Amino acid sequence: MQTKTPNNFFKNLVSLIKGKVFVINVLPVLTGYFLSSHINHVPLAEHIASFFITLIGSSFVIAGALMLNNWYEADLDKLMERTKSRPSANGEFSRKFVLTLGVTTSIIGFLLLLFTNAEVFLFSFIGWFFYVIFYTFWSKQKYSWNTIIGAVSGCVTPLIGWSVVSSSFQLIPMMVALIVFIWQMPHTYAIAIRRLDDYKRAGFAMLPVVSGIKKTKIHILFYLICLIPLPFFMKSLGWFFIGFITLLNIGWIGLSLSGFSAQNEEHWANRMFKYSVIHMMLFLTSIVVLSI
């Protein structure tokens, strides 16, 4: 029997919150705060205490949602190469422990967010509720448009950070949220194509499983085209930002178009997935840099 060490526990915990997924959901919170301070001409230090509470609280909420996703899908995760090594699937953590940890972590996060403001709490709750209830519990195994529901939970993250300083019901934060929402569609579809056999085996109703790869590629192209005009609504960040993001979008569209003649679907999907991650990291980083 393998001895459970603190290092093993930490490694399993990182796997349980889907490490990279957790990070890419927390980073927009930070980005939203920097951007809000910049646009509203408010010094970063003015709301620093509230921001750290928001960052910690929202991180707990995000982690809790990801844990509950793993708890609910543990049996199906066992059938997938990509997820079978997660502690919720391989038995390293009992399902009861994962459920308890997910609920407790979520509650701690929401309690911390009570010390912020109504909008921060609202957007955090929307993200958690859509991901756990609408996406994980209800739609992921039943409907091919589950990705749209999942994207709602992801797109509110920059609004959480923005709301620390000012109301998010403004053009700029809504454009950032819309870009994050649309970005998730081709990103998730690329994952679904590269892991098509896994999703088929587990019975998840992802678009390429239900409607085929060709139709999924058309959807990917449609969403990427929708990204093109959005940076132009963010003129306050300057034309360099608009031009840079537009070039990234055009490059992504070009890669998407190459998929219609691709001989190796998995290889193409891998390239699309990697490009999507680079795209989002550069998008968020450029906002932070221009906001300092």
Side-chain angles (χ1 to χ4, degrees), residues 52-243:
F52 275 116
I53 295 173
T54 298
L55 187 63
I56 295 170
S58 61
S59 294
F60 269 82
V61 169
I62 292 167
L66 292 169
M67 290 175 187
L68 290 172
N69 174 269
N70 278 336
W71 163 74
Y72 189 77
E73 296 177 355
D75 289 337
L76 298 178
D77 283 345
K78 295 176 184 177
L79 305 174
M80 301 175 66
E81 289 294 324
R82 182 172 67 93
T83 57
K84 68 180 184 181
S85 61
R86 287 177 182 168
S88 51
N90 65 15
E92 286 287 327
F93 290 163
S94 70
R95 292 191 69 176
K96 182 178 180 181
F97 173 76
V98 175
L99 173 61
T100 303
L101 192 60
V103 171
T104 303
T105 303
S106 298
I107 291 173
I108 291 172
F110 284 124
L111 288 176
L112 286 171
L113 293 174
L114 288 175
F115 293 93
T116 56
N117 63 57
E119 278 193 35
V120 168
F121 188 92
L122 173 65
F123 289 124
S124 298
F125 179 78
I126 289 173
W128 184 94
F129 193 83
F130 266 80
Y131 187 79
V132 175
I133 307 300
F134 287 159
Y135 178 67
T136 300
F137 292 176
W138 176 52
S139 66
K140 192 174 180 181
Q141 298 175 41
K142 297 179 182 179
Y143 307 108
S144 61
W145 38 267
N146 64 70
T147 308
I148 297 175
I149 295 175
V152 173
S153 65
C155 79
V156 298
T157 50
L159 302 181
I160 295 171
W162 178 287
S163 297
V164 174
V165 177
S166 178
S167 173
S168 288
F169 296 100
Q170 303 175 46
L171 180 63
I172 296 295
M174 288 301 169
M175 285 299 104
V176 175
L178 186 55
I179 289 172
V180 174
F181 172 84
I182 294 175
W183 171 88
Q184 291 175 91
M185 306 304 290
H187 170 77
T188 306
Y189 288 150
I191 295 174
I193 292 174
R194 70 200 285 256
R195 299 292 185 179
L196 183 60
D197 291 338
D198 264 359
Y199 283 114
K200 282 182 178 179
R201 190 162 48 248
F204 289 116
M206 307 304 288
L207 184 62
V209 174
V210 175
S211 302
I213 292 177
K214 183 177 180 180
K215 186 172 181 179
T216 303
K217 289 178 178 179
I218 294 172
H219 279 241
I220 287 174
L221 181 59
F222 168 76
Y223 284 110
L224 292 179
I225 291 173
C226 289
L227 280 177
I228 290 292
L230 300 185
F232 291 88
F233 290 93
M234 303 174 68
K235 291 181 181 179
S236 55
L237 284 177
W239 286 103
F240 175 81
F241 170 81
I242 294 173

